[in-house]
Amino acid sequence: MASPEKFIVEKIANFDDMMELTNLIEQGTLTYLPHISVDSAIFSFHDGLLKVLVLRMKDLALYSLPGGYVGREEDLDGAAQRILRERTGLEAVYLEQCGTFGDHRRTGGKKSEDVFSTLGVDLPAGCWIMQRFISVGYYALVNYAAARPAPGHFDAECIWCPVDQLPGMIFDHREIAGKALETLRLLLDVKVPQSNLLPETFTMNELQQLYESILGKPLLRSNFQRKMLNMEILERLDKRFGGGAHKAPFLYRFRKSMPE
Amino acid sequence: MASPEKFIVEKIANFDDMMELTNLIEQGTLTYLPHISVDSAIFSFHDGLLKVLVLRMKDLALYSLPGGYVGREEDLDGAAQRILRERTGLEAVYLEQCGTFGDHRRTGGKKSEDVFSTLGVDLPAGCWIMQRFISVGYYALVNYAAARPAPGHFDAECIWCPVDQLPGMIFDHREIAGKALETLRLLLDVKVPQSNLLPETFTMNELQQLYESILGKPLLRSNFQRKMLNMEILERLDKRFGGGAHKAPFLYRFRKSMPE
């Protein structure tokens, strides 16, 4: 079985056959709304690092965030959930908007031509896929061990990348990832307990590593511990790691009901 | 001169002539992107109350938030700024997104037909204006005295309404206003100093009234004052109201540079 870190496929574009791609080009707007897309920053926490899921586009040194179009009969949030499910296998995880990206030159024109032609896909001039898109950005907080990253139609691989080592990305996807991280930082104390970033139980040290990884800076251990305990969101468990050693760290979990 | 509280116009729809309306219906998608709109909750603070600008649609007991379409060559944020300028005369005020609303049944079909037919506007079946729209919600924080509310093409009046007395609204505009208020509440301590909700100088009592009005609940005076002073965002001024009375309240203003 492949490592969950990296799935590689060899096809140029992962469509079952060229017919599927032709249909998308010629009749896509019967299925999807034009001009609107969804792009998601899917975060997980692993090896002490906050990571984001990125897709490498075939033959490009460029990466993208997982994204897609919105079905004509599909809710916007539903499209984001579907895209998350398609790329990670996960459902019902923490998923929220972080902003909508609508500069009129963010996609379209030569920018879109360059991406698709390098992918080996020649789109007809004026094709809906090549036009201007306004993209609704989402961010998801998922459990690393539960996610099963899978590439999409246009991708060569799907990998977890530490947020401070993001590769070159298409369009404004780096900005979307940045806005997602900024949104997470602003509301960290509220969002982390609601997320699956940590396993059910964790040590204070693991929680601090997660905070440091999201904030991108080290925190003073004593201050951090005091702040966390004062927030009254943690429940300290009796059991400890392993057996006996009196220095083994306490385990914590988030309280089921949070104080207001 | 009319009171700034209420501007009323008598025309059915405020188009210069029917030609302008016909153009919008028949050729609107040459100018605007289909399926995407902007709706804004524009907040001000007046008479101790947080108010939001709403538009009454002619012959309807229904109100709407100020909104509009996105020009094909216009940035999304630019569209929100234009709509704010058209409805209030204001530029360069605090304006941010609060979320994008995309349930697939939020507009379109019978919902849109009902609104436009009651307005006396008969739109042809399948007209782009009647189709599904995904709306990007914005919220603005403006100075009440500086705003000059003005109705739009389909509106009979444009009024400031206290946020806890919102009238019936079209589509999901009530939900958009609610999300805007929720976003403001979440980030209150950051947003209020950046806004023009208060005049340049204000008393602690006025600041508390603003907070209470946004949060929708009374706050303990001593706690509020201590919290505000601890945040180190306020500068206390020497001058006081009027002359002499030693009980006259201190005036404050927000510091130019905020602590991190």
Side-chain angles (χ1 to χ4, degrees):
Chain A
M1 191 182 148
S3 141
E5 272 285 335
K6 201 168 187 177
F7 285 71
I8 302 188
V9 290
E10 297 305 329
K11 285 180 287 178
I12 284 184
N14 306 332
F15 290 95
D16 287 344
D17 51 41
M18 283 311 290
M19 195 58 206
E20 199 182 345
L21 178 58
T22 308
N23 273 343
L24 181 71
I25 292 168
E26 292 178 0
Q27 303 191 35
T29 54
L30 297 179
T31 309
Y32 300 110
L33 293 174
H35 301 298
I36 298 167
S37 60
V38 165
D39 289 300
S40 298
I42 303 173
F43 294 113
S44 72
F45 183 63
H46 180 238
D47 274 348
L49 296 173
L50 187 72
K51 296 181 176 180
V52 64
L53 200 64
V54 296
L55 303 162
R56 184 169 66 80
M57 304 184 90
K58 177 76 183 175
D59 292 335
L60 284 178
L62 278 181
Y63 289 73
S64 73
L65 293 176
Y69 307 116
V70 181
R72 284 192 171 265
E73 307 291 319
E74 183 180 45
D75 291 341
L76 177 62
D77 286 350
Q81 283 158 4
R82 172 177 52 79
I83 290 160
L84 177 70
R85 189 172 60 240
E86 288 170 354
R87 295 285 79 74
T88 67
L90 296 173
E91 310 226 27
V93 300
Y94 190 90
L95 179 66
E96 278 204 5
Q97 291 177 11
C98 66
T100 294
F101 297 78
D103 284 357
H104 77 284
R105 295 185 202 278
R106 63 175 292 276
T107 61
K110 187 147 182 347
K111 279 184 190 165
S112 296
E113 271 171 41
D114 285 353
V115 166
F116 285 102
S117 70
T118 320
L119 280 171
V121 181
D122 257 335
L123 295 179
C127 172
W128 71 283
I129 295 177
M130 308 277 275
Q131 293 180 9
R132 173 182 176 187
F133 274 82
I134 288 179
S135 187
V136 185
Y138 280 80
Y139 70 107
L141 307 176
V142 313
N143 184 273
Y144 177 86
R148 292 284 169 268
H153 282 150
F154 292 110
D155 319 315
E157 55 177 345
C158 182
I159 56 174
W160 288 112
C161 178
V163 290
D164 57 357
Q165 296 167 38
L166 282 189
M169 300 186 89
I170 62 165
F171 304 139
D172 53 0
H173 283 203
R174 215 186 157 97
E175 189 191 336
I176 298 175
K179 187 71 194 308
L181 184 56
E182 185 192 310
T183 305
L184 179 55
R185 282 178 181 164
L186 264 180
L187 299 168
L188 193 51
D189 296 334
V190 181
K191 301 307 180 191
V192 165
Q194 296 172 9
S195 77
N196 296 312
L197 287 172
L198 289 170
E200 166 78 12
T201 62
F202 46 85
T203 64
M204 186 62 78
N205 197 39
E206 285 166 340
L207 182 60
Q208 181 172 344
Q209 277 192 337
L210 173 59
Y211 264 70
E212 290 177 334
S213 182
I214 293 174
L215 294 171
K217 62 183 181 189
L219 301 169
L220 272 177
R221 188 184 171 126
S222 55
N223 287 359
F224 178 79
Q225 179 153 352
R226 188 175 336 110
K227 181 192 146 183
M228 281 299 131
L229 296 177
N230 282 344
M231 281 165 51
E232 300 183 357
I233 56 175
L234 294 174
E235 187 178 346
R236 197 172 82 175
L237 304 176
D238 281 341
K239 59 179 173 169
R240 297 158 179 237
F241 278 136
H246 63 280
K247 281 191 173 174
F250 279 108
L251 285 176
Y252 294 86
R253 68 177 167 207
F254 290 115
R255 288 193 183 179
K256 290 281 184 288
S257 63
M258 296 293 164
E260 291 239 325
Chain B
M1 190 183 149
S3 139
E5 271 284 335
K6 201 168 186 179
F7 286 70
I8 302 188
V9 289
E10 296 305 330
K11 285 180 287 180
I12 284 184
N14 304 335
F15 289 94
D16 288 343
D17 51 41
M18 283 311 290
M19 195 60 206
E20 200 183 343
L21 178 58
T22 307
N23 273 344
L24 181 71
I25 292 168
E26 292 179 0
Q27 302 189 37
T29 54
L30 298 179
T31 309
Y32 300 109
L33 294 174
H35 301 298
I36 298 167
S37 60
V38 165
D39 290 299
S40 297
I42 302 172
F43 294 113
S44 72
F45 183 61
H46 180 240
D47 276 348
L49 295 174
L50 187 72
K51 295 181 176 180
V52 64
L53 199 64
V54 295
L55 303 162
R56 186 169 64 81
M57 306 185 91
K58 176 77 183 173
D59 292 336
L60 284 177
L62 279 180
Y63 289 73
S64 73
L65 293 176
Y69 307 116
V70 181
R72 283 190 172 267
E73 308 291 319
E74 184 179 44
D75 290 341
L76 177 63
D77 288 349
Q81 282 157 5
R82 171 177 53 78
I83 290 161
L84 177 69
R85 188 172 62 241
E86 287 170 356
R87 296 285 80 74
T88 66
L90 296 173
E91 310 227 25
V93 300
Y94 190 92
L95 179 67
E96 278 203 5
Q97 290 178 11
C98 67
T100 294
F101 297 79
D103 284 356
H104 77 285
R105 294 185 203 278
R106 65 174 289 278
T107 61
K110 189 151 181 344
K111 278 185 190 166
S112 297
E113 271 171 41
D114 285 353
V115 166
F116 285 101
S117 70
T118 319
L119 280 170
V121 181
D122 258 335
L123 295 178
C127 172
W128 71 284
I129 295 177
M130 308 277 274
Q131 292 179 10
R132 173 183 176 186
F133 274 83
I134 287 179
S135 186
V136 185
Y138 280 80
Y139 71 106
L141 306 177
V142 312
N143 184 272
Y144 177 87
R148 292 285 168 266
H153 281 151
F154 293 111
D155 319 315
E157 56 177 347
C158 181
I159 56 174
W160 288 113
C161 178
V163 290
D164 57 356
Q165 296 167 39
L166 283 188
M169 302 187 89
I170 63 165
F171 305 139
D172 53 0
H173 284 203
R174 217 187 156 96
E175 189 190 335
I176 298 175
K179 186 70 195 306
L181 184 56
E182 185 191 310
T183 305
L184 179 55
R185 282 177 181 165
L186 264 180
L187 299 167
L188 192 50
D189 297 333
V190 180
K191 302 305 179 192
V192 165
Q194 296 172 8
S195 77
N196 295 312
L197 288 172
L198 288 170
E200 167 78 12
T201 62
F202 46 85
T203 64
M204 187 60 79
N205 198 38
E206 284 166 341
L207 182 61
Q208 183 172 343
Q209 276 191 336
L210 173 60
Y211 265 69
E212 289 176 335
S213 183
I214 293 173
L215 294 172
K217 61 182 182 190
L219 301 168
L220 272 177
R221 188 184 170 125
S222 55
N223 287 358
F224 179 78
Q225 180 153 351
R226 188 176 336 112
K227 181 192 147 183
M228 282 297 131
L229 295 177
N230 283 344
M231 278 165 54
E232 300 183 359
I233 57 174
L234 294 175
E235 188 179 345
R236 198 173 79 176
L237 303 176
D238 281 342
K239 59 178 174 170
R240 297 155 180 240
F241 277 137
H246 61 279
K247 280 192 173 171
F250 279 107
L251 284 176
Y252 295 87
R253 69 177 169 208
F254 290 115
R255 290 193 181 177
K256 290 281 184 289
S257 62
M258 295 293 163
E260 290 244 323

